[in-house]
Amino acid sequence: MCKQFGQENVGTSVDVTHAREVLPTNVKPRHYNLTLEPDFENFTYEGSVTIDLDVVEDTTSVTLNTLELKVHTAKIESSGETVSDAPSLAHDEDGQTTKVSFDKTIPSGAKASLTMTFTGTLNDNMAGFYRSSFKAADGSTTWLATTQMEPTDARRAFPCFDEPALKAEFTVTLVADEKMTCLSNMDVASETTVDSKVVSGKRKAVTFNKSPPMSTYLLAFIIGELNYIETNNFRVPVRVYAPKDRDIEHGRFSLELAAKTLDFYEKTFASPFPLPKMDMVAIPDFSAGAMENWGLITYRVVDVLIDEKTSGASVKQRVAETVQHELAHQWFGNLVTMDFWDGLWLNEGFATWMSWYSCNVFYPDWKVWEGYVTDNLASALSLDSLRSSHPIEVPVKRADEINQIFDAISYSKGSCVLRMISKYLGEETFMEGVRRYLKKHAYGNTQTGDLWAALSDASGKDVEKVMDIWTKHVGFPVITVTENSDSIHVKQNRFLRTADVKPEEDQTLWPVFLELRTKDGVNKDLALTTREADFKVKDTDFFKLNADHSGIYRTSYTPDRLAKLGEAARAGLLSVEDRAGMIADAGALAASGYQKSSGILALLDSFKSEKEFVVWQEIISRISVLRSAWTFEDQAVKDALKKFALELTQDKAHEVGWTFSDNDGHIEQQFKGMMFGTAGVTNDEAIVKASFDMFNKFKAGDTSAIHPNLRGSVYAIVLSNGGKEEYDVVLEQALHAKTSDERNTAMRSLGRAKSPELIQRTLALSVSEDVKAQDIYLPISALRTHPEGINALWAFVKENWADLEKKLPPSLSMLSSVVSIATSSFTRREHIKDIGAFFSDKSTKGFDKALAQSLDSISAKAAWIERDSEDVKAWLKEHKYL
Ligand code: BES
Ligand code: ZN
């Protein structure tokens, strides 16, 4: 039904919005007065809502979004009179709407209000208004009620106009027991006592101040037994809340960082944070990592609470990133909002970029921009090299489609596009454009073009012209470089990992900033806007394209040039980003057939003396990509690759060592942890022995025997070399360790155990009561590190498909992750057939993108092996690994 309205509205227009399923536009919501009272006995809640409407066309019906709500009564009023106190209600389950129809016509220009009463379910699917729980000190289960509205679950919580452009003000009232803390986006206006609608007797009714105009997906309310800590280091109070079973002091790091970050953002954006308070809450059951609800950010526990004594450096960095990401949304997303979900990247790309920007300001020694190349740039280029990728701006209609675009394209490629333009304009000019954008569109909605317009305004450059193609077209180019004595020739083509680009897929000409590095520095003025071109280079002895890898492309050099770049790296002529990026490019080009795999093996081998963490991260990632593509190949070749990986990493691992002191920097800690783990899982004898020593001490009760930066690696090493005894110790940690981080690290390792019996235990555990639905990916992920695990996991998913579908509704993201984890590690054409056959008679709603991407990535691996298995074998033989 809703779909028909959408089509009616735009008639025959060719506007991209034609495909959207949107509500009719005859009325506009202005204000919601919403009251909710949960019933923790029956897991339901009673609600009532009055929505003030501007009537913009003569109106005899109002259609709004509802989902799984039982509507009891509805009433329409206009100009102080009742238009109807029993309008007819037509629910459209598929369209997720209710149409409220009445006999009289409300004229265009009038005001009206719609009041509805309803009962909803406090569901356990982490969507809408849902229930979550924790164990009280006496072991009893304590319930709390919380919300997750984004993208389209506000309609599950209450009847509403659930589209980002339909902003309105909200006045929320929560009714609950005295002992409950009640929170919403705004601060408390009043507290009264009322007759309860769900229990006999009185309860408190907490009414919050009216919010500014905002989108429904940003609304939040929480009712639970919570503790908090507060800081006054920002203009308005900032608090961290956690369920009463947690040590609230673990919120201290996030609390202080939030206060500093809010202050920094409001100055940087020249736009004061408009709400009277900022609360951040740890929620025990939470589907995403965190959610930017305006003034009431919700988090998965591990992403906001941290015990610095028991967690490693990378955990701290993730918490900082998450806090700064959600706070960036308070402006970018909440104050200024995309007008529809195909503009999601504006939210997520910007918040991602901004969290890096601010992390760099607060923690310069973390050198986060160096890591950007192995993190966001790598994920963007990886997903976007598949045929089944999508443009940054992608038309989406339904909830199950919208959920699927919270992916590396919206987040990582989106942020890469911003990094590219910010480098091109200069960060100061870029930020000036952002300030103008926020000022012009505060409390409004935008499209991508509005951002480009503001950046053009600030820079005097035609930003849209260079950026449009990057957001509207799928993919990115590979730039092939050939050389003459005093010039280089560059040519661009669409890059596909499967190396089978068809001419019709190779039509886009991207505006590419070449950022040519020579001995004289970086030339920022060169751009390739045509298919191919020649550029003069004074001295071709040393040059490299894409300095610092702020461009979204791969560069393919001749083998000679690649060897020379390896020398340049050793001679100190290249930045960390250049070195990591160059290895990444060479690896991706080998995997997709542009170059020989022996070339990347040789290149990696030549980097043994490399000193920097980030470059090693890329080296390790490339060898592991190759090894996992070879998972189902000959054991002898696999052993040889393992030996190569060991010899490549072990000297470095021993050099940096695995003891920690308070003087170790943030990067150094991670460096030691990473080298220890990599050399250890490839069987470095000393490290394996050290791991068992630490593990056995730990098992005997010495809780500090394993350093937090090594914990995951030690578990992985003892589980892949040990048996049931080790498994039981790690399992005990997964279930009962003190902090969520410690439990997760253990849970994430269990899949390393390879014996059939232990694999079955890990699989059974993943769907048991002991693992929350939010954590299902943890136990199964490590099964992908061995062929036995990959096969067993896929067999398990096939056998238990019906249960999984029930447990993980396709409208959420978890089923999609499970499908991806269970299929993407396969490598052969027969695997593609098997997976295709299994899903051929099933609905792939909610995970069709993930599935297509898995199949594409398998076919890329299959082609890679077919092409290069002899080449790899020959190289391994020549270098005595085989
Ligand atoms: N807006 C998202 C949360 C979200 C994700 C809602 C998917 C609905 C569907 C939030 O801002 C976010 O991006 N969270 C990230 C954390 C961040 C540090 C990348 C997450 O959940 O992982
Ligand atoms: Zn986000």
Side-chain angles (χ1 to χ4, degrees), residues 163-187:
E163 290 169 18
L166 298 177
K167 289 192 177 187
E169 298 169 331
F170 288 85
T171 304
V172 174
T173 300
L174 299 174
V175 181
D177 283 346
E178 195 52 47
K179 65 179 178 196
M180 294 292 197
T181 299
C182 296
L183 300 171
S184 186
N185 305 79
M186 297 296 290
D187 55 345

Side-chain angles (χ1 to χ4, degrees), residues 305 336 375 406:
L305 303 184
V336 179
D375 189 319
F406 286 82

Side-chain angles (χ1 to χ4, degrees), residues 148 150 288-292 318 322 325-326 329 348 406 411:
Q148 171 60 43
E150 191 182 19
M291 176 64 212
E292 69 265 26
R318 162 76 189 178
T322 310
H325 175 111
E326 304 314 332
H329 277 311
E348 299 304 346
F406 286 82
Y411 283 74

Side-chain angles (χ1 to χ4, degrees), residues 502-791:
K502 303 187 183 95
E504 65 271 24
E505 292 170 315
D506 194 11
Q507 299 296 316
T508 309
L509 292 178
W510 283 272
V512 178
F513 303 130
L514 291 178
E515 303 273 313
L516 179 71
R517 191 190 288 284
T518 62
K519 280 184 181 141
D520 300 334
V522 179
N523 183 341
K524 299 203 151 287
D525 300 326
L526 304 181
L528 173 67
T529 50
T530 50
R531 172 73 60 192
E532 41 195 319
D534 290 288
F535 295 92
K536 285 256 169 292
V537 177
K538 227 174 35 197
D539 177 6
T540 51
D541 185 41
F542 166 67
F543 74 90
K544 181 183 168 295
L545 294 188
N546 205 4
D548 293 342
H549 288 250
S550 54
I552 306 173
Y553 56 94
R554 302 276 189 205
T555 310
S556 178
Y557 299 101
T558 60
D560 279 355
R561 177 54 56 186
L562 199 59
K564 279 191 193 155
L565 280 171
E567 282 162 29
R570 284 186 293 283
L573 293 170
L574 298 175
S575 68
V576 170
E577 291 93 321
D578 278 335
R579 299 195 310 268
M582 173 185 125
I583 294 169
D585 282 3
L589 290 163
S592 56
Y594 288 83
Q595 286 167 5
K596 282 274 140 213
S597 298
S598 49
I600 181 76
L601 291 171
L603 184 71
L604 294 178
D605 209 26
S606 77
F607 265 84
K608 268 189 177 159
S609 58
E610 172 61 48
K611 292 198 167 48
E612 295 290 335
F613 168 61
V614 166
V615 184
W616 272 103
Q617 219 175 12
E618 191 58 47
I619 294 171
I620 289 166
S621 144
R622 284 299 151 189
I623 180 74
S624 97
V625 166
L626 188 126
R627 288 184 60 210
S628 45
W630 260 250
T631 297
F632 291 94
E633 302 312 301
D634 276 358
Q635 194 58 45
V637 177
K638 289 192 333 184
D639 289 344
L641 282 170
K642 186 168 177 180
K643 195 155 164 238
F644 170 61
L646 172 65
E647 290 190 13
L648 187 60
T649 53
Q650 74 183 149
D651 290 351
K652 196 67 185 181
H654 286 259
E655 184 193 319
V656 295
W658 48 86
T659 51
F660 293 84
S661 90
D662 290 346
N663 298 329
D664 290 337
H666 180 80
I667 295 179
E668 204 177 349
Q669 292 182 51
Q670 293 179 72
F671 200 1
K672 289 178 180 180
M674 177 178 78
M675 295 314 301
F676 177 91
T678 312
V681 295
T682 46
N683 290 350
D684 176 272
E685 264 176 49
I687 292 178
V688 173
K689 182 175 175 309
S691 296
F692 274 96
D693 286 350
M694 290 182 228
F695 188 77
N696 289 331
K697 276 191 203 146
F698 175 77
K699 192 170 129 188
D702 177 356
T703 49
S704 62
I706 308 174
H707 193 275
N709 286 307
L710 301 180
R711 191 183 293 127
S713 301
V714 168
Y715 290 164
I717 293 163
V718 300
L719 286 170
S720 27
N721 293 286
K724 186 173 167 307
E725 217 174 301
E726 287 75 20
Y727 190 91
D728 286 331
V729 175
V730 180
L731 179 62
E732 168 64 20
Q733 290 302 306
L735 299 178
H736 302 300
K738 271 228 303 287
T739 68
S740 298
D741 173 41
E742 290 166 284
R743 290 198 296 275
N744 283 6
T745 304
M747 196 67 94
R748 204 180 274 124
S749 310
L750 289 169
R752 288 271 179 177
K754 281 199 269 278
S755 81
E757 186 217 326
L758 295 177
I759 289 177
Q760 288 312 318
R761 282 179 65 187
T762 302
L763 287 169
L765 176 73
S766 70
V767 291
S768 74
E769 293 284 306
D770 287 328
V771 175
K772 287 170 177 277
Q774 67 162 22
D775 293 329
I776 189 162
Y777 71 96
L778 289 171
I780 61 178
S781 288
L783 289 168
R784 291 184 298 176
T785 56
H786 42 87
E788 299 86 340
I790 297 170
N791 284 327

